[in-house]
Amino acid sequence: VIPSLTGPHEIADILETFVATPEGTALAYGSLVFMALLPIFFGALRSVSCGKSKNSSDMPETITGRDAARFPIIASCTLFGLYLFFKIFSQEYINLLLSMYFFVLGILALSHTMSPFMNRIFPASIPIKQYQLLFTQGSGETKEEIVNYEFDTKDMICLVISTVVGVWYILKKHWIANNLFGLAFALNGVELLHLNNISTGCILLGGLFVYDVFWVFGTNVMVTVAKSFEAPIKLVFPQDLLEKGLGASQFAMLGLGDIVIPGIFIALLLRFDVSLKKNTRTYFHTSFLAYIFGLGLTIWVMHTFKHAQPALLYLVPACIGFPVVVALLKGELTEMFSYESSEEVLPHYPTVSGSPASLANSMHSSSSPRWRRNNPPVFNGAPEDGCRFMGS
């Protein structure tokens, strides 16, 4: 599950002295749009096979209507809590703890992202050995498994590569390492967070639409957290790359929540397309194009009015409105809203096996009892739906 925190909204005037060239701006925003589309496209495709998985440890988290209604409230509480933490405690120590937290989860998320690719390229001549990491509590008849993590040689290679990226990020905070972790978090989020039906998706996106607009325009809380929070919860691309190369330091940014929140709705529409069994992907393509339109509109409005924009203000109407209109024209509106995501909601216990994502899932909520999967998904308090485009 993607480790998202209620996020800072990056705003365009954090560094007012830098003026990007038109070429640098176009390259930065074009790259951000392209990077945002990657986890949505591939995460949606992987969500279809993920929903058919027979391995209970790799089953997705299911978001119900009740969960969706709670999201904006939980998100607001988490955001304000972060704001108070940064006001009361030392920013340096808080970011140190957060860096270590995201270091571990980033390694596991990136490893899970790489696994399908590694399965394809791994030489058949190399023997695959099985390993098991087991933690138990108690003894005898009262012994209880806490972590039962099974992995093989291919998983080990993925973990080693991911660890190298993690060390690079911790030591240098380089924007490429940040983006590798960010893309992995976003792809895992789209793949493993499943809305149970279209109505739930509308509730979730609608609630976060209001949340996003309020915290961007109504208070300075987002701005304060944005300037203080350091973690790979956003995609960045330098606007001065053409002038300074890989050592560039003035970034345009897009928060992972503005990718994952619409992304899980787009993935739901792809599963709806599959359920129709018509060999078409009409609703997936429509919502995917709607996301591109909404993101482009966000950029245009931001540059026209020279003010940061809450991306969900434009993404939510586009991602919901376009597919609904298409369904209305095709006479499939009732069928769309009666569709229920087909994966079985399984009970979830504090044990884990299989993939690095499963281990991350277990670690992510080890401080509290595990609930059934139809309880609120593990989002560490709230979705990071706040970061948006900026020029800084």
Side-chain angles (χ1 to χ4, degrees), residues 45-364:
L45 293 178
R46 287 172 61 158
S47 78
V48 175
S49 57
C50 175
K52 298 175 182 178
S53 174
K54 301 298 183 182
N55 186 352
S56 62
S57 65
D58 291 329
M59 287 295 289
E61 296 279 353
T62 300
I63 303 175
T64 67
R66 185 178 180 184
D67 303 332
R70 291 174 175 174
F71 259 55
I73 299 172
I74 298 173
S76 298
C77 293
T78 305
L79 173 64
F80 192 67
L82 283 172
Y83 173 78
L84 294 178
F85 264 94
F86 281 116
K87 284 292 186 180
I88 297 172
F89 300 104
S90 170
Q91 175 181 330
E92 178 183 356
Y93 293 118
I94 295 175
N95 280 320
L96 178 61
L97 291 174
L98 290 173
S99 294
M100 296 308 299
Y101 173 74
F102 281 102
F103 168 75
V104 175
L105 289 179
I107 290 174
L108 297 171
L110 185 58
S111 180
H112 178 251
T113 301
M114 294 169 55
S115 291
F117 178 72
M118 184 60 66
N119 289 336
R120 292 194 180 111
I121 68 169
F122 194 81
S125 58
I126 299 178
I128 299 177
K129 296 183 179 180
Q130 300 293 326
Y131 303 91
Q132 184 178 27
L133 181 64
L134 179 63
F135 288 94
T136 62
Q137 177 179 310
S139 61
E141 295 181 356
T142 62
K143 181 182 290 187
E144 179 184 3
E145 289 184 358
I146 303 301
V147 173
N148 185 3
Y149 178 46
E150 299 175 359
F151 56 100
D152 57 25
T153 305
K154 293 179 288 186
D155 294 325
M156 284 286 290
I157 295 174
C158 291
L159 286 169
V160 170
I161 296 173
S162 301
T163 301
V164 172
V165 175
V167 172
W168 182 24
Y169 173 77
I170 287 291
L171 295 179
K172 300 294 185 180
K173 292 292 193 297
H174 198 276
W175 61 273
I176 295 179
N178 174 91
N179 286 349
L180 290 174
F181 274 173
L183 287 169
F185 288 147
L187 190 146
N188 277 276
V190 175
E191 176 188 357
L192 298 174
L193 284 172
H194 285 200
L195 296 163
N196 65 349
N197 56 49
I198 301 295
S199 297
T200 296
C202 293
I203 293 171
L204 178 65
L205 269 66
L208 291 176
F209 171 91
V210 175
Y211 156 88
D212 215 22
V213 172
F214 172 77
W215 287 109
V216 171
F217 294 131
T219 73
N220 71 335
V221 172
M222 282 286 185
V223 177
T224 302
V225 177
K227 293 177 180 179
S228 307
F229 199 90
E230 294 180 8
I233 57 170
K234 54 186 176 289
L235 300 181
V236 301
F237 199 90
Q239 294 180 305
D240 54 345
L241 179 69
L242 299 177
E243 293 83 6
K244 298 183 179 179
L246 295 180
S249 58
Q250 308 299 334
F251 297 100
M253 305 183 185
L254 177 66
L256 297 190
D258 293 330
I259 301 171
V260 175
I261 298 303
I264 60 177
F265 187 75
I266 294 171
L268 173 65
L269 290 172
L270 175 59
R271 298 195 297 276
F272 172 60
D273 277 325
V274 172
S275 74
L276 294 177
K277 299 179 180 179
K278 295 182 178 179
N279 283 331
T280 62
R281 300 294 181 264
T282 303
Y283 296 103
F284 173 67
H285 293 151
T286 299
S287 58
F288 194 75
L289 292 174
Y291 181 84
I292 298 174
F293 170 78
L295 214 49
L297 185 59
T298 304
I299 299 172
W300 180 81
V301 173
M302 185 192 70
H303 281 282
T304 299
F305 295 96
K306 307 300 180 184
H307 191 281
Q309 299 296 314
L312 293 183
L313 175 63
Y314 309 97
L315 292 173
V316 169
C319 291
I320 293 178
F322 283 34
V324 167
V325 170
V326 170
L328 191 62
L329 295 176
K330 290 172 64 70
E332 296 176 339
L333 189 63
T334 302
E335 192 172 0
M336 172 187 278
F337 276 88
S338 62
Y339 168 70
E340 292 285 336
S341 196
S342 60
E343 62 267 16
E344 181 183 1
V345 180
L346 298 174
H348 192 52
Y349 303 100
T351 62
V352 60
S353 63
S355 68
S358 302
L359 181 59
N361 221 10
S362 176
M363 293 177 60
H364 199 48

